[in-house]
């Protein structure tokens, strides 16, 4: 799957968490004494959005303005290897320090959060958008989004790529034509002047903002109640959220906006993208939220999982494309496999390989097979440019995997006839068809295995 180029533009700040236990009161005042055990400094605002996307493995560029104070040095350190294109801010770096006891915030101190002047933008900042697949505007009220040159650039970008704008009550209005704006309910009420609570208040506020901002959609997030989608021509759509226990909701909105932009850039429809973003925001909080981002990232999972295959399938169908699938054991890849897979890929917009699991191969080929385990086979298949995803199945035949993916075209080698394949009848039930491509009899895994054995 193509690696996305994502640009995050907006205000950055430094977040500092001082965490410890509180088991006694101060002798000179009835307040708890917090014995600080850990101090975590991380990038906040647009920096947090960029950090999230970077941890997900995307190609991320952060467009912002930076000061030259000590907090800015700590902020740049917290951003790590993220590419930053920054102009001068002409203001102090905002610092928000939270004192936390047992994962609960007790008090927060804000420094450098006065109203700054509208910053200038550089040509390098504007040039960063040139090859973006999507843009996330993370407005934290520090006036970068008020810059006229930046607004003009974002207006033009919104006509050709997804632009997701996460607004702020103290920030500028989104430029016209953005793909989606993502206020939370509290922000939507303040920005619209609407009153009330719950779903009806979200709808009233969202409709007002949609019409005022001329956005393609306003998506009002409602925390544990999910989100509401408001588009010009559709009815309000409620998207529920998974039920989770939430300790600290910090960062959920950033996670939602970033996930929404990624899903839209992948070609998902707005409804599908919002549903994906709601799920990812919930998972982010369930896994510990911003506090968990201090941990070392988990080892990268092997690509080509069932979830990856489903995402490819949904993306292709949602974009009106043609989904192609083929299957087999692919034990010891050889030139015949490569030719067959390349031919299959030319028939549509994405190719998913349904791969027999190790157990399935043993039942079909004997106890000495497979020669290579399924993880190695998955990785080798995904190394081929023509393969977009892999779905591993444990049955002897791929009907269950096909019923899940529902490809438009099922491809087999020319040593089969369409009528002899049980998959043919299944494909017809959803309007798909079976196609054969040339079979190269001189190339086979068995021949290759025999040759290796002779050499050994």
């Amino acid at each position: 799957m193509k690696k996305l180029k994502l640009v995050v533009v907006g205000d950055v700040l430094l977040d500092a968490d001082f965490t410890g236990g509180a088991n006694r009161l101060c002798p000179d005042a009835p307040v708890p004494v917090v014995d600080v055990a850990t101090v975590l400094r991380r990038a906040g605002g647009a920096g947090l959005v960029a950090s999230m996307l970077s941890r997900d493995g995307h190609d991320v560029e952060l467009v912002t303005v930076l000061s030259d104070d000590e907090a800015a040095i700590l902020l740049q350190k917290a951003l790590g290897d993220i590419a930053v294109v920054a102009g001068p801010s002409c203001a102090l770096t905002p610092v928000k320090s939270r004192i936390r006891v047992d994962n609960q915030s007790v008090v927060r101190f804000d420094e450098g959060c006065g109203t700054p002047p509208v910053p200038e933008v550089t040509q390098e900042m504007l040039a960063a958008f040139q090859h973006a697949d999507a843009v996330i505007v993370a407005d934290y009220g520090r006036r970068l989004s008020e810059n006229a040159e930046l607004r003009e650039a974002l207006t033009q970008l919104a006509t050709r790529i997804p632009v997701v704008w996460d607004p702020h009550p103290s920030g500028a209005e989104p430029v016209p034509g953005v793909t989606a704006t993502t206020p939370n309910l509290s922000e939507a009420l303040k920005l619209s002047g609407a009153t009330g609570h719950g779903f009806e208040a979200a709808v009233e506020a969202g409709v007002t903002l949609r019409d005022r901002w001329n956005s393609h959609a306003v998506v009002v997030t409602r925390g544990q109640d999910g989100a509401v989608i408001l588009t010009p021509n559709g009815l309000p759509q409620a998207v529920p959220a998974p039920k989770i226990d939430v300790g600290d909701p910090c960062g959920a909105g950033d996670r939602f906006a970033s996930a929404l932009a990624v899903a839209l850039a992948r070609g998902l429809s707005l409804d599908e993208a919002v549903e994906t973003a709601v799920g990812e925001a919930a998972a982010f909080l369930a896994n510990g939220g911003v506090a968990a981002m201090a941990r070392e990232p988990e080892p990268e999972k092997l690509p080509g999982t069932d979830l990856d295959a489903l995402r490819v399938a949904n993306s292709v169908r949602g974009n009106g494309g043609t989904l192609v699938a083929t299957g087999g054991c692919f034990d010891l890849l050889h030139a015949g496999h490569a030719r067959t897979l390349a031919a299959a890929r030319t028939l549509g917009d994405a190719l998913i390989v349904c791969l027999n699991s190790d157990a399935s191969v043993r039942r079909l080929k004997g106890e000495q097979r497979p020669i290579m385990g399924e993880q190695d086979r998955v990785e080798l298949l995904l190394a081929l440019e023509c393969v977009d995803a892999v779905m591993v199945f444990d049955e002897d035949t791929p009907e269950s995997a096909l019923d899940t993916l529902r490809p438009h075209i099922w491809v087999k080698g020319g040593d089969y006839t369409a009528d002899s394949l049980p998959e043919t009848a299944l494909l017809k039930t959803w309007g798909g068809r079976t196609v054969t491509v040339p079979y190269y009899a001189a190339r086979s895994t068995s021949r290759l295995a025999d040759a290796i054995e002779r050499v050994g």
Side-chain angles (χ1 to χ4, degrees):
M1 191 183 295
K2 176 189 173 184
K3 189 174 184 178
L4 294 177
K5 170 65 180 294
L6 302 169
V7 175
V8 181
V9 57
D11 311 303
V12 293
L13 49 95
L14 180 66
D15 280 330
D17 286 351
F18 297 81
T19 304
N23 301 308
R24 56 196 171 94
L25 293 176
C26 180
D28 55 2
V31 295
V33 175
V34 180
D35 293 311
V36 175
T38 61
V39 178
L40 169 64
R41 294 181 175 87
R42 64 177 185 278
L48 177 58
V49 178
S51 298
M52 290 173 173
L53 292 167
S54 178
R55 285 175 66 93
D56 290 342
H58 300 296
D59 182 3
V60 183
E61 201 155 13
L62 174 60
V63 175
T64 190
V65 291
L66 289 172
S67 183
D68 56 358
D69 54 17
E70 183 180 355
I73 296 172
L74 294 172
L75 177 55
Q76 291 180 73
K77 182 179 179 181
L79 287 167
D81 295 331
I82 295 171
V84 180
V85 183
S89 74
C90 301
L92 293 174
T93 301
V95 181
K96 298 186 177 183
S97 303
R98 298 188 301 173
I99 309 301
R100 295 167 56 82
V101 177
D102 296 330
N103 294 320
Q104 177 65 51
S105 293
V106 177
V107 66
R108 192 181 85 184
F109 301 98
D110 289 1
E111 304 169 79
C113 292
T115 303
V118 176
E120 299 295 324
V121 298
T122 65
Q123 289 304 307
E124 289 78 12
M125 292 168 70
L126 298 176
F129 300 114
Q130 187 173 0
H131 300 295
D133 293 304
V135 171
I136 303 98
V137 181
D139 189 346
Y140 273 76
R142 303 290 296 171
R143 308 192 72 186
L144 177 57
S145 62
E146 293 183 37
N147 182 280
E149 287 183 88
L150 179 63
R151 293 180 68 81
E152 177 60 28
L154 291 170
T155 302
Q156 295 300 317
L157 283 168
T159 65
R160 58 183 180 84
I161 63 173
V163 175
V164 173
W165 192 297
D166 195 9
H168 190 279
S170 301
E173 291 195 348
V175 300
V178 300
T179 312
T181 55
T182 60
N184 62 37
L185 179 55
S186 175
E187 293 166 341
L189 292 174
K190 290 178 183 177
L191 289 163
S192 68
T195 58
H197 60 276
F199 179 77
E200 291 299 328
V203 171
E204 180 184 352
V207 169
T208 299
L209 295 175
R210 179 199 66 198
D211 295 341
R212 181 193 301 171
W213 292 339
N214 193 24
S215 300
H216 288 293
V218 170
V219 184
V220 181
T221 58
R222 302 175 57 218
Q224 296 185 72
D225 294 319
V228 183
I229 306 172
L230 292 312
T231 57
N233 301 316
L235 294 172
Q237 182 174 353
V239 179
K243 297 299 181 184
I244 59 170
D245 292 326
V246 179
D248 181 3
C250 180
D254 299 302
R255 188 56 178 160
F256 177 87
S258 62
L260 180 62
V262 169
L264 291 169
R266 292 286 188 207
L268 271 64
S269 68
L270 177 65
D271 294 356
E272 292 172 322
V274 171
E275 187 174 359
T276 298
V278 167
E280 293 207 15
F284 170 75
L285 293 180
N287 290 330
V290 291
M293 293 184 67
R295 305 172 195 152
E296 288 297 317
E298 293 182 6
E300 184 177 351
K301 293 181 180 179
L302 185 70
T305 64
D306 293 358
L307 184 58
D308 292 326
L310 287 170
R311 285 175 175 163
V312 170
N314 290 337
S315 177
V316 171
R317 278 195 295 268
N319 207 34
T322 299
L323 180 66
V324 183
T326 190
C329 300
F330 297 96
D331 193 11
L332 292 184
L333 277 177
H334 52 72
H337 289 143
R339 294 180 185 178
T340 298
L341 293 168
R345 181 62 176 80
T346 65
L347 301 176
D349 299 289
L351 173 64
I352 297 176
V353 176
C354 298
L355 182 72
N356 294 76
S357 69
D358 289 350
S360 176
V361 174
R362 279 192 294 273
R363 290 194 300 271
L364 294 171
K365 304 287 188 178
E367 288 298 318
Q368 300 306 312
R369 301 283 290 275
I371 298 168
M372 293 194 303
E374 64 191 54
Q375 289 196 340
D376 287 344
R377 290 184 285 132
V378 167
E379 193 165 352
L380 286 170
L381 284 166
L382 286 170
L384 299 176
E385 187 176 0
C386 56
V387 175
D388 295 280
V390 176
M391 174 174 274
V392 178
F393 64 94
D394 201 44
E395 299 81 6
D396 292 344
T397 55
E399 282 95 328
S400 178
L402 288 173
D403 192 47
T404 299
L405 296 171
R406 302 216 161 197
H408 301 93
I409 298 174
W410 173 244
V411 178
K412 293 296 288 184
D415 53 328
Y416 294 92
T417 62
D419 292 339
S420 69
L421 291 167
E423 301 96 278
T424 299
L426 178 63
L427 266 288
K428 288 181 179 178
T429 62
W430 58 78
R433 67 172 61 196
T434 303
V435 175
T436 60
V437 295
Y439 172 68
Y440 302 95
R443 277 91 174 174
S444 74
T445 299
S446 297
R447 286 173 177 263
L448 188 57
D450 290 342
I452 293 172
E453 187 174 358
R454 287 196 299 272
V455 171

